[in-house]
Amino acid sequence: MKTTPYPHLLAPLDLGYTTLRNRVIMGSMHTGLEDRFYNYGKLAAFYRERARGGVGLIVTGGISPNRSGWLLPFGGTLNFKGDVANHRRVTSAVHEEGGKILMQILHAGRYGYQPLVVSASDKKSPISPFKPRALSEAGIEQTIRDYARCAKLARDAGYDGVEVMGSEGYLLNQFLCARTNLRTDQWGGSIENRMRLSLEIVKRIRAEVGNDFIIMYRHSLLDLVEGGNTWDEVVTVAKALQQAGVTILNTGYGWHEARVPTIVTSVPRAAFASLAGRLRLEVSIPVVASNRINMPAEAEGILQRGEADMISMARPFLADAHFVAKAAAGRADEINTCIGCNQACLDHTFSNKRASCLVNPRACHETELVYAPTMKQRRVAVVGAGPAGLSAATVAAECGHDVTLFDASDSIGGQFKIAMQVPGKEEFAETIRYFARKIDLTGVKLQLNVRVTRAQLLADGYDDVIVATGIKVRKPPIEGIGHPKVLSYVDVLRDKAPVGKRVAIIGAGGIGFDMGEFLLHDTRHPLPLALDVWAREWGVDMQVGTPGGLVPPEPAEPVRQLYLLQRKTSRPGAGLGKTSGWVHRAVLARNGVVMLAGVQYDRIDDQGLHITVGGEQRLLSVDNVVICAGQDSLVELMPSEEEAKAAGMPRFHKIGGAALAAELDAKRAIKEGAELAARL
Ligand code: FAD
Ligand code: NAP
Ligand code: SF4
């Protein structure tokens, strides 16, 4: 018999009337495709690819049972028969690939970004401008009927079950917690009353769909908000849900309005699995672990330790549709790992854009970005093995082109090698590991330590030259910029130049904030941070002894005094990621970083940095000034127009930082590389 390093993860799960082929769940993610009927073909292709990749059970993005449950105006709803046919395209695609799929029923409650919102009480959430209407008793009864009808229609559409979304602060969580449930009738007050809505919904769904249909309930084990539930209440609800007819208990951590991060890269891997393990001792139905589990070894470890029966991973399936198949074949080193950046998934969702993935631009674009075998092989030179060049080279080779990839340095990765030095960005190393393996697999000819010249490219007879040489660091024209106390971010992050205790950072973009976190890191705590250190810093009681599991944070003494400066008058950090920027701002604020906007840089000298701010001259007497003032494109290889017109020239293309340094990030770099290579 073939042995596998992941025997627990790959073991089937027999639910009596149906068997799941393994223990892996692709967790629910709103892709933006489920909201419009004309996108269901694309949605079906997205799920088909994941089912083909071997995942045991897929959960769709949230579908509302009625209009008041919409997250966004006119969001995906299943409340009448006419919608069934669209959903059938999705279920058929998954079943044809041997997979199983649940439809998530999501009622957003007061998180709805639309005027019809309802909740347990009329308390507005801090993350939506719309004040909810408190549901009347009749409204509650109608909501229960809507859930049951939605589940029945899901069954008609061919789904293998439904997931009832009860965590993350959505409607059912709003009823479950005293924070948002101020009712004095039979739906509020004691935990027995507060959980009544969840239980009635599960019972009514079970009555409607019969016993051979999966009902998974996503239960909040750690609310991470004041007025959340205690562990005893969490367990009471779980036991009652089991009694009411739930088949599988999925788990959730943190409301969307919580001020503790739960999924960004800086959250330790599998941070919350031990809570699933505790709950598993209290119930006899399968329990699912979730959040920040992104590689099969982690998942296997959780199952092996008995902390869960199944593992839910969501974003890892945007990053790699074939995660399970690769793990099963013993090729985990080929997995394109989710790095927890949120840049192309959650940041898109919360900006009402279609989700995708920074490391896999095909995600949710399966029918549009196709890596098809080429009819005519071309000789391609890719110059620069940063994210843009790596993406272009490996996709071009995958399509069958003859690709040589050059880099001036002694290893691949470009600026990602610098980014991964930042606390909380350790996962970026996985992307470099993935591309290194992909280079081997696709037969890209890699030439390191070669600073390519244009003459060389012209002499070597390439059909296409892809210039992916990235950027050069910008040196702002400030008097005294050559002073020995001035360092660039590359000096600090890559070359580990010594830095004093008082530091001014010029530039408050993504790299300025990263520099802040790097300089504030207390090196006595190795990276990635251990769970107990992380929990202390953010004020999390992992025992959930307090309501919501919150305790006062115990931040360590700041190791440096930092000033973070920008010329713009806007709030520093306003341009950071929608779903992760607040984490970076919170870390710097907690460490007493002085953030100044509207700064004019006058000069740098032995005394420090002289600035003018608000019309007033100031001296920041710092030991070092670190420049994080953006970049300019590095395009020395591009031919002039005359040269390009000359006969026999290869076609030259620019991607990533070489094409445009402004607003550059790895999301754009990787996407541009893949799109260009796919159409060569
Ligand atoms: P680069 O990564 O700059 O790669 C260019 C490559 O070309 C280099 O390897 C270089 O050696 C090579 N090269 C140059 N000239 C030649 C030549 N003549 N011959 C051969 N080789 C040559 N982005 C995000 O999206 N999210 C983040 O969280 C994030 N954090 C960051 C944190 C830090 C500290 C830094 C520095 C960057 C961060 N970025 C982040 C930005 C991201 O790394 C860049 O946008 C991305 O690397 C740009 O990719 P690129 O391929 O265009 O260029
Ligand atoms: P950036 O975001 O463009 O920020 C550059 C900073 O330098 C700004 O604060 C700018 O503010 C300042 N600046 C620009 N020109 C200057 C000049 N001549 N003199 C003084 N200050 C100047 O660039 P970055 O921080 O270098 O980041 C590079 C790219 O990497 C970004 O586009 C970003 O998307 C990506 N990145 C992303 C993340 C992430 O977490 N998503 C993290 C790091 C990096 P003022 O002009 O107001 O002074
Ligand atoms: Fe993961 Fe980032 Fe891709 Fe989202 S965009 S799935 S967080 S790698």
Side-chain angles (χ1 to χ4, degrees), residues 343 358 383-389 406-409 414-416 418-419 422 425 428 450-452 468-471 489 493 511 514 634 636-637 656-657 664-667 669:
Q343 284 175 241
L358 179 143
V383 189
F406 300 94
D407 202 282
S409 76
Q415 289 177 70
F416 253 37
I418 305 178
V422 175
K425 291 197 171 173
F428 284 41
V450 181
R451 179 162 282 278
V452 179
T469 45
I471 49 88
Y489 67 81
L493 294 173
I511 294 180
D514 278 352
L634 186 58
E636 60 205 20
L637 292 176
L664 169 69
D665 61 10
K667 178 176 78 171

Side-chain angles (χ1 to χ4, degrees), residues 238 309 313 372 625:
D309 300 281
M313 292 173 271
V625 176

Side-chain angles (χ1 to χ4, degrees), residues 29 263 265 314-320 336-347 356-360 363 431 667:
M29 283 176 288
I263 57 170
T265 329
R315 296 171 299 167
F317 286 99
L318 290 177
D320 197 329
N336 197 359
T337 304
C338 164
I339 57 174
C341 66
N342 286 356
Q343 284 175 241
C345 52
L346 283 172
D347 284 351
S356 189
C357 176
L358 179 143
V359 299
N360 174 24
T431 304
K667 178 176 78 171

